[in-house]
């Protein structure tokens, strides 16, 4: 998207539009993230509290190799939600970086057609 | 598909047509971005959420996922143009992009 061909008034107008769309996009992302993390992490409703499940991690005794094949308990709900949020934001950031690279290529190819 | 400077506009005024086209292009790009985020998250990131950072495997997967998405985007675009051209040469009335 090349805005240098537009007049200052148009650029200012576009900036306002972009700002509004960014805010809308942010709100959409926020609510979809909440839903996503809730769906993945909160599956136990025996209590109202988020960190309802206490998980005790015992240090693995590696003389007993069977610990490597035993199923590992999922993290408590609150930690899961925090991890989910963190991971999504990092993921989104990385996608954004790659997207910018490829987008420049795509736009360049289109202009040359 | 890309924005070309088009339409006559008063020197300091706002050309609605250009603004409209730029807005549409912005919408399209935002839509593609949101779809990529959503698809690549579903494909690359496990839902166990054992930690808050992306591990190496996930990072590499994301890079490749984005690259493939754009490849697919390009291929589909080319195919659609071919179909559009074929329909156009067969006779008027076919839809054009």
């Amino acid at each position: 998207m090349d805005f240098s061909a537009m007049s200052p008034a148009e650029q200012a107008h576009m900036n306002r539009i972009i700002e509004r769309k960014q805010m809308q996009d942010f709100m959409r992302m926020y609510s979809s993230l909440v839903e996503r993390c809730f769906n993945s992490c909160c599956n136990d409703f025996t209590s109202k509290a988020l960190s309802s499940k206490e998980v005790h991690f015992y240090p693995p005794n590696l003389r007993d190799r069977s610990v490597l094949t035993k199923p590992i308990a999922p993290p408590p709900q609150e930690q899961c939600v925090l991890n989910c949020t963190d991971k999504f934001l990092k993921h989104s950031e990385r996608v954004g970086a790659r997207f910018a690279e490829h987008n420049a290529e795509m736009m360049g190819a289109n202009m040359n057609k | 598909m890309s924005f070309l400077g088009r339409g006559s506009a008063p020197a300091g005024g706002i050309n609605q047509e250009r603004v409209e086209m730029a807005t549409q292009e912005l919408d399209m790009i935002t839509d593609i971005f949101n779809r990529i985020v959503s698809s690549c998250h579903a494909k690359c990131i496990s839902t166990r959420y054992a930690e808050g950072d992306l591990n190496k495997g996930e990072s590499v997967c994301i890079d490749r996922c984005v690259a493939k998405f754009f490849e697919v985007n390009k291929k589909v675009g080319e195919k659609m143009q071919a179909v559009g051209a074929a329909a156009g040469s067969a006779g008027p009335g076919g839809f054009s992009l």
Side-chain angles (χ1 to χ4, degrees):
Chain A
M1 285 179 299
D2 174 26
F3 292 138
S4 59
M6 295 168 114
S7 71
E10 286 173 349
Q11 284 187 7
H13 189 211
M14 281 310 298
N15 282 337
R16 278 197 297 277
I17 289 179
I18 287 174
E19 205 177 297
R20 186 166 37 93
K21 283 190 189 290
Q22 275 180 340
M23 182 53 66
Q24 281 176 342
D25 206 41
F26 175 77
M27 297 308 293
R28 198 174 303 134
M29 186 207 73
Y30 170 78
S31 38
S32 84
L33 181 57
V34 167
E35 186 178 7
R36 183 193 295 273
C37 293
F38 176 80
N39 286 341
S40 306
C41 292
C42 300
N43 296 314
D44 172 44
F45 297 103
T46 56
S47 146
K48 264 202 280 194
L50 205 49
S51 324
S52 59
K53 258 207 162 107
E54 280 293 341
V55 180
H56 298 283
F57 287 105
Y58 297 106
N61 175 8
L62 284 180
R63 281 196 215 139
D64 171 23
R65 293 285 170 182
S66 67
V67 299
L68 297 173
T69 52
K70 285 203 183 108
I72 304 173
Q77 296 180 50
E78 183 183 335
Q79 190 56 41
C80 178
V81 166
L82 296 174
N83 289 344
C84 169
T85 310
D86 248 338
K87 215 165 220 188
F88 184 87
L89 292 174
K90 294 200 165 101
H91 159 77
S92 190
E93 190 185 311
R94 197 177 177 98
V95 169
R98 294 292 96 82
F99 183 88
E101 295 166 8
H102 283 99
N103 201 30
E105 238 178 87
M106 182 175 78
M107 287 292 134
N110 276 333
M111 294 284 272
N112 291 334
K113 272 190 188 153
Chain B
M1 202 158 72
S2 67
F3 171 66
L4 305 167
R6 208 188 285 172
S8 56
I14 293 181
N15 182 347
Q16 276 306 117
E17 192 189 313
R18 278 209 295 212
V19 165
E20 181 66 38
M21 282 179 58
T23 307
Q24 277 183 1
E25 193 179 347
L26 180 66
D27 278 340
M28 185 197 77
I29 290 184
T30 309
D31 180 59
I32 291 182
F33 178 76
N34 287 334
R35 282 172 203 267
I36 292 180
V37 166
S38 179
S39 297
C40 291
H41 191 278
K43 288 182 187 294
C44 290
I45 297 187
S46 98
T47 53
R48 255 196 84 236
Y49 299 117
E51 50 166 22
D53 284 316
L54 298 171
N55 63 43
K56 189 84 172 116
E58 288 169 344
S59 302
V60 168
C61 179
I62 290 169
D63 294 345
R64 292 174 181 166
C65 178
V66 175
K68 280 201 173 162
F69 196 101
F70 276 100
E71 275 292 314
V72 170
N73 189 33
K74 199 172 82 167
K75 290 266 178 286
V76 170
E78 286 167 5
K79 187 73 179 174
M80 296 282 272
Q81 277 189 340
V83 167
S89 64
F95 87 104
S96 59
L97 282 170

